[in-house]
Each structure stands twice: as C-alpha cells, then as structure tokens.
Amino acid sequence: IYYTRPSSASGAHRLLVTSAGPREGKTTSAVNLGITMAASGKRVLLLDADLRRPSLHKAFGLSNERGLSNLLTGKWSTETAPLLTPQKGLFVIPSGPRPPNPAELLGSDAVDKLLERLGSLFDIVIFDSPPVAAVTDAVVLSQKVDGVVMVVKSFKVGRDLILQAKQQLEDVNANLLGVVLNDF
C-alpha cells in the first residue's frame, strides 16, 4: 500500500495502522510499511500510539522510558524525540510511560500540535495503534490521520469482529484505505 493523497496543514502524510483484535501483526506491518517508504527516499516517522500495550520499541531494541506520552504532556522535546533506526530515513518515537487516560490524551489538541511540528520534519508519519475493538484509541486517532490501514491475521479473528471494527471506523468517517491480510 502506498498512499499519495496530500494531507492537510502539515504537509506530512499521516497513516494509522490498526486491527480488529490484538496480536494480528499491526506493529510488524507498520514497521515494514515504514521501511519500504523510507527505502523510497522518504523521511518516515513510526509513532507508537498504543499507549496501553506498546511494542514498537521492542522491534528496534529501544527503551520505552520516554516517548509519545512524554511529548503530549510537554515532558520531552520534538527536537530530540525522533530516534534514528538502522534504515536510512526511518525514525521511531516509542509510546513512553502509560498515561492514566490514553484515549483522552490521544484525542487532545496536543496531538494536533505535535503533528503540526512533526509535519515539517517528516514526509510520512505512521501511527501504530491499539486494536479498534479493544479500546477507542484507534477510532479517536482515525480522525487525525489521512488514512487507516487495517491488519487482519488470517484465521485468527472472526468475520463479525472484523466487520464491527470496520463499522466503528466508518461511523466516524475514517478514511479506510484497505486491509493487509497477514499470515495467510
């Protein structure tokens, strides 16, 4: 999947990678998407927006002591936050410590302000989010991105759960770009 529609004010493309249920390969898909886009010459930021069960930092062997939650609460600077990965042009911001109110924090104006700042530094910002059916975080974030990619692990989740997640995204007019069928 390669998304080319221009985004709004920031100039960066914003993609959300989610799934209906847990452990369907969201993080792996987000990382692979980021690597592919960075290999094409884009400056890509992978942002771990799963503030409840983060895993993006593990994929790169990074600490999760500081991250998105610190940025959104003003306890870390965007100038020092993006961490370079071995892939040229690919940067990561882990989730950071779990805040008491993840959905509220992700729906705040602080996210919009952060994306405005990051938009001047990166061509593409990819959010790795929690599953849609588990918590409201992904649905909240879907309103702040240009498009949503849903990961579905073959033979893991039922059709009803997938359709429920799709409906939740459609109910808020999320731009569902497509589905990645994983582990087929």
Side-chain angles (χ1 to χ4, degrees), residues 132-171:
V132 173
V135 291
T136 61
D137 303 9
V139 174
V140 167
L141 281 171
S142 74
Q143 301 302 289
K144 299 184 180 289
V145 298
D146 300 310
V148 178
V149 175
M150 199 156 90
V151 177
V152 175
K153 187 170 186 177
S154 300
F155 310 109
K156 174 149 180 6
V157 273
R159 185 176 195 268
D160 290 343
L161 186 61
I162 295 166
L163 292 174
Q164 176 189 347
K166 178 182 178 271
Q167 188 61 53
Q168 284 179 272
L169 292 167
E170 288 176 344
D171 286 348

Side-chain angles (χ1 to χ4, degrees), residues 29-101:
S29 296
V31 168
N32 288 331
L33 190 59
I35 288 170
T36 301
M37 291 179 167
S40 73
K42 303 285 185 193
R43 285 181 52 86
V44 179
L45 174 65
L46 288 172
L47 194 56
D48 196 342
D50 191 339
L51 301 179
R52 298 166 197 272
R53 296 187 65 189
S55 60
L56 189 60
H57 66 285
K58 295 175 189 172
F60 292 97
L62 300 171
S63 167
N64 197 36
E65 288 180 29
R66 293 189 300 177
L68 179 60
S69 60
N70 302 100
L71 286 170
L72 296 176
T73 56
K75 297 177 183 168
W76 200 19
S77 161
T78 53
E79 288 76 32
T80 59
L83 306 170
L84 186 60
T85 68
Q87 170 67 45
K88 182 182 177 196
L90 183 64
F91 298 80
V92 173
I93 295 179
S95 69
R98 182 178 177 176
N101 51 356

Side-chain angles (χ1 to χ4, degrees), residues 75-131:
K75 297 177 183 168
W76 200 19
S77 161
T78 53
E79 288 76 32
T80 59
L83 306 170
L84 186 60
T85 68
Q87 170 67 45
K88 182 182 177 196
L90 183 64
F91 298 80
V92 173
I93 295 179
S95 69
R98 182 178 177 176
N101 51 356
E104 185 179 317
L105 189 58
L106 292 171
S108 71
D109 290 339
V111 172
D112 298 326
K113 291 174 186 170
L114 174 64
L115 288 174
E116 186 72 28
R117 287 187 302 239
L118 294 174
S120 63
L121 301 172
F122 299 97
D123 300 311
I124 300 166
V125 177
I126 300 172
F127 289 82
D128 180 20
S129 82

